[in-house]
Amino acid sequence: GTVSTVAVKANRKMTTSEYTGEIVDLDEQKIYNLDMRKKSYEVMTFDEMRRRMQEAQEKAAKAAKEQPQAEAQPSQQQMEIDFSLKDSGQKRTINGFDCHEVIMTITARQKGKTLEEGGGYVMTSHIWLGPVIESMKEVAAFDRRYYQALQGSSLAGSAEQMAMVSAMYPAMREMMGRMETENVKMDGTPILTEMTTEVVKNPEQMSQEAKQGGESTNVTSIRAIGSVLGRKMAKKKEDEETPKNRATIMTMNHELLKVVPTVTASDLSIPAGFKQKK
């Protein structure tokens, strides 16, 4: 995993980890990418980022069109989104925060069909909510302003990566968008989120997979999302002769370790001694 430190004040945000860093300035409409090991940084405008996103989206769309028609299901079908949020009744203390668990389930299925009939995706999040933390509201509000300015969407995540996902699997983008929207509505701050995303194959895909005697190319192509997002995907051994109709695309955990409600100028500045790469 990766431990990151995030600092936000007004229209500037800095995120740093062991090897990399990023400063986003909404007033300048610039992104500063930091190399913490080499003590250097590069500057990119929002326009340049939009161009990269467009190129990534076009590349992903081209790759999707080159896949066999069987692989186009269910991602290229018209999809409907189902949403469920339930309190499990479980409570625990995480990093000093008193939390209770809610389970969010978002399903994308082919319009007019059940999930088992038409296939689709299931995103299940076990969210441990702590008290409302105003500082985290400020971080979330900045992210919404940033992505709105960048791509006309409030969906958080790596801009280039999400552009590729959007092109290849539009339904997943809608699901992530719904999750972001519902997170804002929650009465509390997510301290720990454990998310699993699965693809559900329809009977036609199951039949094709059985004839091929192994994992369908649809699942293999979808697994490419995991590498695009930089996440290590869960891989299951196919021990049974009859394949299951669900496969895990990716798992992702996000944990809030601590919050300091003060930000200094140095927390948002390029570190001393860093040189710009031309």
mmCIF file with all atom_site columns, all heavy atoms in Angstrom, residues 37-62:
data_model
loop_
_atom_site.group_PDB
_atom_site.id
_atom_site.type_symbol
_atom_site.label_atom_id
_atom_site.label_alt_id
_atom_site.label_comp_id
_atom_site.label_asym_id
_atom_site.label_entity_id
_atom_site.label_seq_id
_atom_site.pdbx_PDB_ins_code
_atom_site.Cartn_x
_atom_site.Cartn_y
_atom_site.Cartn_z
_atom_site.occupancy
_atom_site.B_iso_or_equiv
_atom_site.pdbx_formal_charge
_atom_site.auth_seq_id
_atom_site.auth_comp_id
_atom_site.auth_asym_id
_atom_site.auth_atom_id
_atom_site.pdbx_PDB_model_num
ATOM 1   N N   . ARG A 1 37 ? 12.474  11.518 -4.851  1.00 0.00 ? 37 ARG A N   1
ATOM 2   C CA  . ARG A 1 37 ? 13.815  10.939 -4.784  1.00 0.00 ? 37 ARG A CA  1
ATOM 3   C C   . ARG A 1 37 ? 14.834  11.805 -5.526  1.00 0.00 ? 37 ARG A C   1
ATOM 4   O O   . ARG A 1 37 ? 15.933  12.042 -5.040  1.00 0.00 ? 37 ARG A O   1
ATOM 5   C CB  . ARG A 1 37 ? 13.809  9.520  -5.342  1.00 0.00 ? 37 ARG A CB  1
ATOM 6   C CG  . ARG A 1 37 ? 13.050  8.516  -4.474  1.00 0.00 ? 37 ARG A CG  1
ATOM 7   C CD  . ARG A 1 37 ? 13.010  7.153  -5.127  1.00 0.00 ? 37 ARG A CD  1
ATOM 8   N NE  . ARG A 1 37 ? 12.229  7.189  -6.364  1.00 0.00 ? 37 ARG A NE  1
ATOM 9   C CZ  . ARG A 1 37 ? 11.994  6.122  -7.124  1.00 0.00 ? 37 ARG A CZ  1
ATOM 10  N NH1 . ARG A 1 37 ? 12.512  4.953  -6.773  1.00 0.00 ? 37 ARG A NH1 1
ATOM 11  N NH2 . ARG A 1 37 ? 11.269  6.207  -8.213  1.00 0.00 ? 37 ARG A NH2 1
ATOM 12  N N   . LYS A 1 38 ? 14.452  12.268 -6.726  1.00 0.00 ? 38 LYS A N   1
ATOM 13  C CA  . LYS A 1 38 ? 15.384  13.058 -7.533  1.00 0.00 ? 38 LYS A CA  1
ATOM 14  C C   . LYS A 1 38 ? 15.321  14.547 -7.210  1.00 0.00 ? 38 LYS A C   1
ATOM 15  O O   . LYS A 1 38 ? 16.077  15.343 -7.772  1.00 0.00 ? 38 LYS A O   1
ATOM 16  C CB  . LYS A 1 38 ? 15.084  12.834 -9.013  1.00 0.00 ? 38 LYS A CB  1
ATOM 17  C CG  . LYS A 1 38 ? 15.323  11.402 -9.467  1.00 0.00 ? 38 LYS A CG  1
ATOM 18  C CD  . LYS A 1 38 ? 15.043  11.253 -10.960 1.00 0.00 ? 38 LYS A CD  1
ATOM 19  C CE  . LYS A 1 38 ? 15.299  9.831  -11.424 1.00 0.00 ? 38 LYS A CE  1
ATOM 20  N NZ  . LYS A 1 38 ? 15.021  9.671  -12.878 1.00 0.00 ? 38 LYS A NZ  1
ATOM 21  N N   . LYS A 1 39 ? 14.380  14.926 -6.332  1.00 0.00 ? 39 LYS A N   1
ATOM 22  C CA  . LYS A 1 39 ? 14.201  16.325 -5.935  1.00 0.00 ? 39 LYS A CA  1
ATOM 23  C C   . LYS A 1 39 ? 14.020  17.223 -7.163  1.00 0.00 ? 39 LYS A C   1
ATOM 24  O O   . LYS A 1 39 ? 14.719  18.225 -7.349  1.00 0.00 ? 39 LYS A O   1
ATOM 25  C CB  . LYS A 1 39 ? 15.373  16.802 -5.082  1.00 0.00 ? 39 LYS A CB  1
ATOM 26  C CG  . LYS A 1 39 ? 15.464  16.110 -3.728  1.00 0.00 ? 39 LYS A CG  1
ATOM 27  C CD  . LYS A 1 39 ? 16.521  16.739 -2.842  1.00 0.00 ? 39 LYS A CD  1
ATOM 28  C CE  . LYS A 1 39 ? 16.519  16.087 -1.461  1.00 0.00 ? 39 LYS A CE  1
ATOM 29  N NZ  . LYS A 1 39 ? 17.514  16.708 -0.553  1.00 0.00 ? 39 LYS A NZ  1
ATOM 30  N N   . SER A 1 40 ? 13.066  16.824 -7.990  1.00 0.00 ? 40 SER A N   1
ATOM 31  C CA  . SER A 1 40 ? 12.762  17.599 -9.194  1.00 0.00 ? 40 SER A CA  1
ATOM 32  C C   . SER A 1 40 ? 11.246  17.639 -9.377  1.00 0.00 ? 40 SER A C   1
ATOM 33  O O   . SER A 1 40 ? 10.507  16.895 -8.727  1.00 0.00 ? 40 SER A O   1
ATOM 34  C CB  . SER A 1 40 ? 13.424  16.967 -10.422 1.00 0.00 ? 40 SER A CB  1
ATOM 35  O OG  . SER A 1 40 ? 12.924  15.654 -10.645 1.00 0.00 ? 40 SER A OG  1
ATOM 36  N N   . TYR A 1 41 ? 10.796  18.523 -10.275 1.00 0.00 ? 41 TYR A N   1
ATOM 37  C CA  . TYR A 1 41 ? 9.365   18.616 -10.537 1.00 0.00 ? 41 TYR A CA  1
ATOM 38  C C   . TYR A 1 41 ? 9.118   19.068 -11.972 1.00 0.00 ? 41 TYR A C   1
ATOM 39  O O   . TYR A 1 41 ? 9.973   19.677 -12.618 1.00 0.00 ? 41 TYR A O   1
ATOM 40  C CB  . TYR A 1 41 ? 8.674   19.575 -9.561  1.00 0.00 ? 41 TYR A CB  1
ATOM 41  C CG  . TYR A 1 41 ? 9.045   21.024 -9.715  1.00 0.00 ? 41 TYR A CG  1
ATOM 42  C CD1 . TYR A 1 41 ? 8.280   21.892 -10.491 1.00 0.00 ? 41 TYR A CD1 1
ATOM 43  C CD2 . TYR A 1 41 ? 10.171  21.554 -9.069  1.00 0.00 ? 41 TYR A CD2 1
ATOM 44  C CE1 . TYR A 1 41 ? 8.614   23.231 -10.634 1.00 0.00 ? 41 TYR A CE1 1
ATOM 45  C CE2 . TYR A 1 41 ? 10.517  22.893 -9.208  1.00 0.00 ? 41 TYR A CE2 1
ATOM 46  C CZ  . TYR A 1 41 ? 9.726   23.726 -9.989  1.00 0.00 ? 41 TYR A CZ  1
ATOM 47  O OH  . TYR A 1 41 ? 10.066  25.055 -10.126 1.00 0.00 ? 41 TYR A OH  1
ATOM 48  N N   . GLU A 1 42 ? 7.934   18.712 -12.471 1.00 0.00 ? 42 GLU A N   1
ATOM 49  C CA  . GLU A 1 42 ? 7.473   19.120 -13.789 1.00 0.00 ? 42 GLU A CA  1
ATOM 50  C C   . GLU A 1 42 ? 6.158   19.859 -13.634 1.00 0.00 ? 42 GLU A C   1
ATOM 51  O O   . GLU A 1 42 ? 5.391   19.586 -12.703 1.00 0.00 ? 42 GLU A O   1
ATOM 52  C CB  . GLU A 1 42 ? 7.283   17.913 -14.710 1.00 0.00 ? 42 GLU A CB  1
ATOM 53  C CG  . GLU A 1 42 ? 8.564   17.168 -15.017 1.00 0.00 ? 42 GLU A CG  1
ATOM 54  C CD  . GLU A 1 42 ? 8.325   15.953 -15.906 1.00 0.00 ? 42 GLU A CD  1
ATOM 55  O OE1 . GLU A 1 42 ? 7.462   15.136 -15.563 1.00 0.00 ? 42 GLU A OE1 1
ATOM 56  O OE2 . GLU A 1 42 ? 9.017   15.837 -16.934 1.00 0.00 ? 42 GLU A OE2 1
ATOM 57  N N   . VAL A 1 43 ? 5.896   20.783 -14.544 1.00 0.00 ? 43 VAL A N   1
ATOM 58  C CA  . VAL A 1 43 ? 4.666   21.581 -14.492 1.00 0.00 ? 43 VAL A CA  1
ATOM 59  C C   . VAL A 1 43 ? 3.805   21.259 -15.708 1.00 0.00 ? 43 VAL A C   1
ATOM 60  O O   . VAL A 1 43 ? 4.308   21.192 -16.836 1.00 0.00 ? 43 VAL A O   1
ATOM 61  C CB  . VAL A 1 43 ? 4.978   23.092 -14.463 1.00 0.00 ? 43 VAL A CB  1
ATOM 62  C CG1 . VAL A 1 43 ? 3.689   23.895 -14.284 1.00 0.00 ? 43 VAL A CG1 1
ATOM 63  C CG2 . VAL A 1 43 ? 5.965   23.412 -13.351 1.00 0.00 ? 43 VAL A CG2 1
ATOM 64  N N   . MET A 1 44 ? 2.519   21.051 -15.448 1.00 0.00 ? 44 MET A N   1
ATOM 65  C CA  . MET A 1 44 ? 1.575   20.762 -16.517 1.00 0.00 ? 44 MET A CA  1
ATOM 66  C C   . MET A 1 44 ? 0.340   21.645 -16.351 1.00 0.00 ? 44 MET A C   1
ATOM 67  O O   . MET A 1 44 ? -0.165  21.805 -15.237 1.00 0.00 ? 44 MET A O   1
ATOM 68  C CB  . MET A 1 44 ? 1.158   19.283 -16.469 1.00 0.00 ? 44 MET A CB  1
ATOM 69  C CG  . MET A 1 44 ? 0.191   18.858 -17.556 1.00 0.00 ? 44 MET A CG  1
ATOM 70  S SD  . MET A 1 44 ? -0.477  17.188 -17.262 1.00 0.00 ? 44 MET A SD  1
ATOM 71  C CE  . MET A 1 44 ? 1.021   16.272 -16.905 1.00 0.00 ? 44 MET A CE  1
ATOM 72  N N   . THR A 1 45 ? -0.134  22.235 -17.433 1.00 0.00 ? 45 THR A N   1
ATOM 73  C CA  . THR A 1 45 ? -1.358  23.033 -17.360 1.00 0.00 ? 45 THR A CA  1
ATOM 74  C C   . THR A 1 45 ? -2.571  22.116 -17.432 1.00 0.00 ? 45 THR A C   1
ATOM 75  O O   . THR A 1 45 ? -2.485  20.958 -17.853 1.00 0.00 ? 45 THR A O   1
ATOM 76  C CB  . THR A 1 45 ? -1.416  24.042 -18.509 1.00 0.00 ? 45 THR A CB  1
ATOM 77  O OG1 . THR A 1 45 ? -1.538  23.329 -19.742 1.00 0.00 ? 45 THR A OG1 1
ATOM 78  C CG2 . THR A 1 45 ? -0.182  24.934 -18.535 1.00 0.00 ? 45 THR A CG2 1
ATOM 79  N N   . PHE A 1 46 ? -3.719  22.639 -17.030 1.00 0.00 ? 46 PHE A N   1
ATOM 80  C CA  . PHE A 1 46 ? -4.954  21.873 -17.148 1.00 0.00 ? 46 PHE A CA  1
ATOM 81  C C   . PHE A 1 46 ? -5.234  21.510 -18.602 1.00 0.00 ? 46 PHE A C   1
ATOM 82  O O   . PHE A 1 46 ? -5.738  20.430 -18.896 1.00 0.00 ? 46 PHE A O   1
ATOM 83  C CB  . PHE A 1 46 ? -6.127  22.675 -16.570 1.00 0.00 ? 46 PHE A CB  1
ATOM 84  C CG  . PHE A 1 46 ? -6.222  22.625 -15.064 1.00 0.00 ? 46 PHE A CG  1
ATOM 85  C CD1 . PHE A 1 46 ? -5.138  22.236 -14.283 1.00 0.00 ? 46 PHE A CD1 1
ATOM 86  C CD2 . PHE A 1 46 ? -7.398  22.981 -14.420 1.00 0.00 ? 46 PHE A CD2 1
ATOM 87  C CE1 . PHE A 1 46 ? -5.217  22.198 -12.899 1.00 0.00 ? 46 PHE A CE1 1
ATOM 88  C CE2 . PHE A 1 46 ? -7.501  22.948 -13.036 1.00 0.00 ? 46 PHE A CE2 1
ATOM 89  C CZ  . PHE A 1 46 ? -6.409  22.561 -12.279 1.00 0.00 ? 46 PHE A CZ  1
ATOM 90  N N   . ASP A 1 47 ? -4.907  22.426 -19.524 1.00 0.00 ? 47 ASP A N   1
ATOM 91  C CA  . ASP A 1 47 ? -5.118  22.134 -20.946 1.00 0.00 ? 47 ASP A CA  1
ATOM 92  C C   . ASP A 1 47 ? -4.284  20.938 -21.390 1.00 0.00 ? 47 ASP A C   1
ATOM 93  O O   . ASP A 1 47 ? -4.753  20.084 -22.158 1.00 0.00 ? 47 ASP A O   1
ATOM 94  C CB  . ASP A 1 47 ? -4.765  23.351 -21.801 1.00 0.00 ? 47 ASP A CB  1
ATOM 95  C CG  . ASP A 1 47 ? -5.822  24.449 -21.727 1.00 0.00 ? 47 ASP A CG  1
ATOM 96  O OD1 . ASP A 1 47 ? -6.971  24.120 -21.366 1.00 0.00 ? 47 ASP A OD1 1
ATOM 97  O OD2 . ASP A 1 47 ? -5.500  25.608 -22.022 1.00 0.00 ? 47 ASP A OD2 1
ATOM 98  N N   . GLU A 1 48 ? -3.048  20.870 -20.920 1.00 0.00 ? 48 GLU A N   1
ATOM 99  C CA  . GLU A 1 48 ? -2.186  19.735 -21.262 1.00 0.00 ? 48 GLU A CA  1
ATOM 100 C C   . GLU A 1 48 ? -2.750  18.447 -20.669 1.00 0.00 ? 48 GLU A C   1
ATOM 101 O O   . GLU A 1 48 ? -2.713  17.383 -21.316 1.00 0.00 ? 48 GLU A O   1
ATOM 102 C CB  . GLU A 1 48 ? -0.770  19.975 -20.755 1.00 0.00 ? 48 GLU A CB  1
ATOM 103 C CG  . GLU A 1 48 ? -0.013  21.057 -21.510 1.00 0.00 ? 48 GLU A CG  1
ATOM 104 C CD  . GLU A 1 48 ? 1.328   21.376 -20.886 1.00 0.00 ? 48 GLU A CD  1
ATOM 105 O OE1 . GLU A 1 48 ? 1.373   21.663 -19.670 1.00 0.00 ? 48 GLU A OE1 1
ATOM 106 O OE2 . GLU A 1 48 ? 2.327   21.328 -21.625 1.00 0.00 ? 48 GLU A OE2 1
ATOM 107 N N   . MET A 1 49 ? -3.260  18.509 -19.458 1.00 0.00 ? 49 MET A N   1
ATOM 108 C CA  . MET A 1 49 ? -3.858  17.326 -18.838 1.00 0.00 ? 49 MET A CA  1
ATOM 109 C C   . MET A 1 49 ? -5.098  16.877 -19.605 1.00 0.00 ? 49 MET A C   1
ATOM 110 O O   . MET A 1 49 ? -5.320  15.683 -19.820 1.00 0.00 ? 49 MET A O   1
ATOM 111 C CB  . MET A 1 49 ? -4.205  17.613 -17.380 1.00 0.00 ? 49 MET A CB  1
ATOM 112 C CG  . MET A 1 49 ? -4.948  16.456 -16.699 1.00 0.00 ? 49 MET A CG  1
ATOM 113 S SD  . MET A 1 49 ? -4.049  14.895 -16.751 1.00 0.00 ? 49 MET A SD  1
ATOM 114 C CE  . MET A 1 49 ? -2.902  15.111 -15.392 1.00 0.00 ? 49 MET A CE  1
ATOM 115 N N   . ARG A 1 50 ? -5.910  17.837 -20.034 1.00 0.00 ? 50 ARG A N   1
ATOM 116 C CA  . ARG A 1 50 ? -7.101  17.475 -20.819 1.00 0.00 ? 50 ARG A CA  1
ATOM 117 C C   . ARG A 1 50 ? -6.694  16.762 -22.106 1.00 0.00 ? 50 ARG A C   1
ATOM 118 O O   . ARG A 1 50 ? -7.356  15.820 -22.542 1.00 0.00 ? 50 ARG A O   1
ATOM 119 C CB  . ARG A 1 50 ? -7.918  18.725 -21.140 1.00 0.00 ? 50 ARG A CB  1
ATOM 120 C CG  . ARG A 1 50 ? -8.574  19.370 -19.928 1.00 0.00 ? 50 ARG A CG  1
ATOM 121 C CD  . ARG A 1 50 ? -9.503  20.500 -20.347 1.00 0.00 ? 50 ARG A CD  1
ATOM 122 N NE  . ARG A 1 50 ? -9.956  21.270 -19.197 1.00 0.00 ? 50 ARG A NE  1
ATOM 123 C CZ  . ARG A 1 50 ? -9.438  22.436 -18.837 1.00 0.00 ? 50 ARG A CZ  1
ATOM 124 N NH1 . ARG A 1 50 ? -8.453  22.979 -19.554 1.00 0.00 ? 50 ARG A NH1 1
ATOM 125 N NH2 . ARG A 1 50 ? -9.897  23.074 -17.780 1.00 0.00 ? 50 ARG A NH2 1
ATOM 126 N N   . ARG A 1 51 ? -5.607  17.244 -22.730 1.00 0.00 ? 51 ARG A N   1
ATOM 127 C CA  . ARG A 1 51 ? -5.131  16.606 -23.965 1.00 0.00 ? 51 ARG A CA  1
ATOM 128 C C   . ARG A 1 51 ? -4.686  15.174 -23.682 1.00 0.00 ? 51 ARG A C   1
ATOM 129 O O   . ARG A 1 51 ? -5.005  14.257 -24.443 1.00 0.00 ? 51 ARG A O   1
ATOM 130 C CB  . ARG A 1 51 ? -3.972  17.408 -24.558 1.00 0.00 ? 51 ARG A CB  1
ATOM 131 C CG  . ARG A 1 51 ? -3.367  16.782 -25.810 1.00 0.00 ? 51 ARG A CG  1
ATOM 132 C CD  . ARG A 1 51 ? -2.235  17.621 -26.355 1.00 0.00 ? 51 ARG A CD  1
ATOM 133 N NE  . ARG A 1 51 ? -1.193  17.858 -25.369 1.00 0.00 ? 51 ARG A NE  1
ATOM 134 C CZ  . ARG A 1 51 ? -0.261  16.951 -25.039 1.00 0.00 ? 51 ARG A CZ  1
ATOM 135 N NH1 . ARG A 1 51 ? -0.270  15.762 -25.599 1.00 0.00 ? 51 ARG A NH1 1
ATOM 136 N NH2 . ARG A 1 51 ? 0.665   17.254 -24.149 1.00 0.00 ? 51 ARG A NH2 1
ATOM 137 N N   . ARG A 1 52 ? -3.976  14.956 -22.600 1.00 0.00 ? 52 ARG A N   1
ATOM 138 C CA  . ARG A 1 52 ? -3.540  13.610 -22.236 1.00 0.00 ? 52 ARG A CA  1
ATOM 139 C C   . ARG A 1 52 ? -4.733  12.702 -21.967 1.00 0.00 ? 52 ARG A C   1
ATOM 140 O O   . ARG A 1 52 ? -4.746  11.530 -22.336 1.00 0.00 ? 52 ARG A O   1
ATOM 141 C CB  . ARG A 1 52 ? -2.634  13.657 -21.002 1.00 0.00 ? 52 ARG A CB  1
ATOM 142 C CG  . ARG A 1 52 ? -1.271  14.250 -21.255 1.00 0.00 ? 52 ARG A CG  1
ATOM 143 C CD  . ARG A 1 52 ? -0.354  13.981 -20.082 1.00 0.00 ? 52 ARG A CD  1
ATOM 144 N NE  . ARG A 1 52 ? 0.953   14.575 -20.262 1.00 0.00 ? 52 ARG A NE  1
ATOM 145 C CZ  . ARG A 1 52 ? 1.984   14.370 -19.430 1.00 0.00 ? 52 ARG A CZ  1
ATOM 146 N NH1 . ARG A 1 52 ? 1.839   13.590 -18.378 1.00 0.00 ? 52 ARG A NH1 1
ATOM 147 N NH2 . ARG A 1 52 ? 3.148   14.948 -19.656 1.00 0.00 ? 52 ARG A NH2 1
ATOM 148 N N   . MET A 1 53 ? -5.726  13.275 -21.284 1.00 0.00 ? 53 MET A N   1
ATOM 149 C CA  . MET A 1 53 ? -6.941  12.499 -21.007 1.00 0.00 ? 53 MET A CA  1
ATOM 150 C C   . MET A 1 53 ? -7.633  12.092 -22.297 1.00 0.00 ? 53 MET A C   1
ATOM 151 O O   . MET A 1 53 ? -8.089  10.959 -22.450 1.00 0.00 ? 53 MET A O   1
ATOM 152 C CB  . MET A 1 53 ? -7.889  13.324 -20.131 1.00 0.00 ? 53 MET A CB  1
ATOM 153 C CG  . MET A 1 53 ? -7.423  13.527 -18.706 1.00 0.00 ? 53 MET A CG  1
ATOM 154 S SD  . MET A 1 53 ? -8.413  14.784 -17.852 1.00 0.00 ? 53 MET A SD  1
ATOM 155 C CE  . MET A 1 53 ? -10.064 14.128 -18.101 1.00 0.00 ? 53 MET A CE  1
ATOM 156 N N   . GLN A 1 54 ? -7.721  13.040 -23.248 1.00 0.00 ? 54 GLN A N   1
ATOM 157 C CA  . GLN A 1 54 ? -8.359  12.752 -24.522 1.00 0.00 ? 54 GLN A CA  1
ATOM 158 C C   . GLN A 1 54 ? -7.608  11.660 -25.271 1.00 0.00 ? 54 GLN A C   1
ATOM 159 O O   . GLN A 1 54 ? -8.221  10.741 -25.851 1.00 0.00 ? 54 GLN A O   1
ATOM 160 C CB  . GLN A 1 54 ? -8.410  14.027 -25.375 1.00 0.00 ? 54 GLN A CB  1
ATOM 161 C CG  . GLN A 1 54 ? -9.111  13.866 -26.728 1.00 0.00 ? 54 GLN A CG  1
ATOM 162 C CD  . GLN A 1 54 ? -10.577 13.509 -26.581 1.00 0.00 ? 54 GLN A CD  1
ATOM 163 O OE1 . GLN A 1 54 ? -11.230 13.905 -25.611 1.00 0.00 ? 54 GLN A OE1 1
ATOM 164 N NE2 . GLN A 1 54 ? -11.097 12.756 -27.536 1.00 0.00 ? 54 GLN A NE2 1
ATOM 165 N N   . GLU A 1 55 ? -6.278  11.732 -25.263 1.00 0.00 ? 55 GLU A N   1
ATOM 166 C CA  . GLU A 1 55 ? -5.466  10.713 -25.927 1.00 0.00 ? 55 GLU A CA  1
ATOM 167 C C   . GLU A 1 55 ? -5.657  9.351  -25.275 1.00 0.00 ? 55 GLU A C   1
ATOM 168 O O   . GLU A 1 55 ? -5.758  8.329  -25.970 1.00 0.00 ? 55 GLU A O   1
ATOM 169 C CB  . GLU A 1 55 ? -3.996  11.118 -25.892 1.00 0.00 ? 55 GLU A CB  1
ATOM 170 C CG  . GLU A 1 55 ? -3.669  12.307 -26.780 1.00 0.00 ? 55 GLU A CG  1
ATOM 171 C CD  . GLU A 1 55 ? -2.235  12.784 -26.614 1.00 0.00 ? 55 GLU A CD  1
ATOM 172 O OE1 . GLU A 1 55 ? -1.542  12.259 -25.703 1.00 0.00 ? 55 GLU A OE1 1
ATOM 173 O OE2 . GLU A 1 55 ? -1.804  13.676 -27.392 1.00 0.00 ? 55 GLU A OE2 1
ATOM 174 N N   . ALA A 1 56 ? -5.708  9.333  -23.948 1.00 0.00 ? 56 ALA A N   1
ATOM 175 C CA  . ALA A 1 56 ? -5.907  8.071  -23.235 1.00 0.00 ? 56 ALA A CA  1
ATOM 176 C C   . ALA A 1 56 ? -7.274  7.483  -23.540 1.00 0.00 ? 56 ALA A C   1
ATOM 177 O O   . ALA A 1 56 ? -7.428  6.270  -23.727 1.00 0.00 ? 56 ALA A O   1
ATOM 178 C CB  . ALA A 1 56 ? -5.749  8.292  -21.730 1.00 0.00 ? 56 ALA A CB  1
ATOM 179 N N   . GLN A 1 57 ? -8.285  8.352  -23.607 1.00 0.00 ? 57 GLN A N   1
ATOM 180 C CA  . GLN A 1 57 ? -9.635  7.890  -23.890 1.00 0.00 ? 57 GLN A CA  1
ATOM 181 C C   . GLN A 1 57 ? -9.735  7.336  -25.306 1.00 0.00 ? 57 GLN A C   1
ATOM 182 O O   . GLN A 1 57 ? -10.355 6.298  -25.533 1.00 0.00 ? 57 GLN A O   1
ATOM 183 C CB  . GLN A 1 57 ? -10.619 9.039  -23.699 1.00 0.00 ? 57 GLN A CB  1
ATOM 184 C CG  . GLN A 1 57 ? -12.069 8.592  -23.616 1.00 0.00 ? 57 GLN A CG  1
ATOM 185 C CD  . GLN A 1 57 ? -12.959 9.682  -23.042 1.00 0.00 ? 57 GLN A CD  1
ATOM 186 O OE1 . GLN A 1 57 ? -12.546 10.825 -22.922 1.00 0.00 ? 57 GLN A OE1 1
ATOM 187 N NE2 . GLN A 1 57 ? -14.172 9.331  -22.685 1.00 0.00 ? 57 GLN A NE2 1
ATOM 188 N N   . GLU A 1 58 ? -9.116  8.014  -26.263 1.00 0.00 ? 58 GLU A N   1
ATOM 189 C CA  . GLU A 1 58 ? -9.145  7.542  -27.644 1.00 0.00 ? 58 GLU A CA  1
ATOM 190 C C   . GLU A 1 58 ? -8.421  6.211  -27.787 1.00 0.00 ? 58 GLU A C   1
ATOM 191 O O   . GLU A 1 58 ? -8.863  5.331  -28.522 1.00 0.00 ? 58 GLU A O   1
ATOM 192 C CB  . GLU A 1 58 ? -8.517  8.596  -28.557 1.00 0.00 ? 58 GLU A CB  1
ATOM 193 C CG  . GLU A 1 58 ? -9.375  9.850  -28.714 1.00 0.00 ? 58 GLU A CG  1
ATOM 194 C CD  . GLU A 1 58 ? -8.656  10.946 -29.482 1.00 0.00 ? 58 GLU A CD  1
ATOM 195 O OE1 . GLU A 1 58 ? -7.464  10.752 -29.826 1.00 0.00 ? 58 GLU A OE1 1
ATOM 196 O OE2 . GLU A 1 58 ? -9.278  11.997 -29.734 1.00 0.00 ? 58 GLU A OE2 1
ATOM 197 N N   . LYS A 1 59 ? -7.302  6.066  -27.082 1.00 0.00 ? 59 LYS A N   1
ATOM 198 C CA  . LYS A 1 59 ? -6.543  4.823  -27.129 1.00 0.00 ? 59 LYS A CA  1
ATOM 199 C C   . LYS A 1 59 ? -7.359  3.669  -26.552 1.00 0.00 ? 59 LYS A C   1
ATOM 200 O O   . LYS A 1 59 ? -7.396  2.570  -27.114 1.00 0.00 ? 59 LYS A O   1
ATOM 201 C CB  . LYS A 1 59 ? -5.240  4.988  -26.344 1.00 0.00 ? 59 LYS A CB  1
ATOM 202 C CG  . LYS A 1 59 ? -4.347  3.762  -26.367 1.00 0.00 ? 59 LYS A CG  1
ATOM 203 C CD  . LYS A 1 59 ? -3.061  4.020  -25.591 1.00 0.00 ? 59 LYS A CD  1
ATOM 204 C CE  . LYS A 1 59 ? -2.167  2.788  -25.580 1.00 0.00 ? 59 LYS A CE  1
ATOM 205 N NZ  . LYS A 1 59 ? -0.903  3.033  -24.822 1.00 0.00 ? 59 LYS A NZ  1
ATOM 206 N N   . ALA A 1 60 ? -8.024  3.926  -25.428 1.00 0.00 ? 60 ALA A N   1
ATOM 207 C CA  . ALA A 1 60 ? -8.825  2.886  -24.797 1.00 0.00 ? 60 ALA A CA  1
ATOM 208 C C   . ALA A 1 60 ? -10.032 2.532  -25.652 1.00 0.00 ? 60 ALA A C   1
ATOM 209 O O   . ALA A 1 60 ? -10.407 1.361  -25.769 1.00 0.00 ? 60 ALA A O   1
ATOM 210 C CB  . ALA A 1 60 ? -9.279  3.348  -23.414 1.00 0.00 ? 60 ALA A CB  1
ATOM 211 N N   . ALA A 1 61 ? -10.661 3.543  -26.254 1.00 0.00 ? 61 ALA A N   1
ATOM 212 C CA  . ALA A 1 61 ? -11.823 3.289  -27.104 1.00 0.00 ? 61 ALA A CA  1
ATOM 213 C C   . ALA A 1 61 ? -11.433 2.444  -28.315 1.00 0.00 ? 61 ALA A C   1
ATOM 214 O O   . ALA A 1 61 ? -12.167 1.543  -28.731 1.00 0.00 ? 61 ALA A O   1
ATOM 215 C CB  . ALA A 1 61 ? -12.434 4.612  -27.555 1.00 0.00 ? 61 ALA A CB  1
ATOM 216 N N   . LYS A 1 62 ? -10.265 2.723  -28.888 1.00 0.00 ? 62 LYS A N   1
ATOM 217 C CA  . LYS A 1 62 ? -9.785  1.952  -30.029 1.00 0.00 ? 62 LYS A CA  1
ATOM 218 C C   . LYS A 1 62 ? -9.538  0.502  -29.637 1.00 0.00 ? 62 LYS A C   1
ATOM 219 O O   . LYS A 1 62 ? -9.896  -0.439 -30.366 1.00 0.00 ? 62 LYS A O   1
ATOM 220 C CB  . LYS A 1 62 ? -8.502  2.571  -30.577 1.00 0.00 ? 62 LYS A CB  1
ATOM 221 C CG  . LYS A 1 62 ? -7.948  1.852  -31.794 1.00 0.00 ? 62 LYS A CG  1
ATOM 222 C CD  . LYS A 1 62 ? -6.665  2.519  -32.289 1.00 0.00 ? 62 LYS A CD  1
ATOM 223 C CE  . LYS A 1 62 ? -6.102  1.771  -33.498 1.00 0.00 ? 62 LYS A CE  1
ATOM 224 N NZ  . LYS A 1 62 ? -4.840  2.401  -33.975 1.00 0.00 ? 62 LYS A NZ  1
#
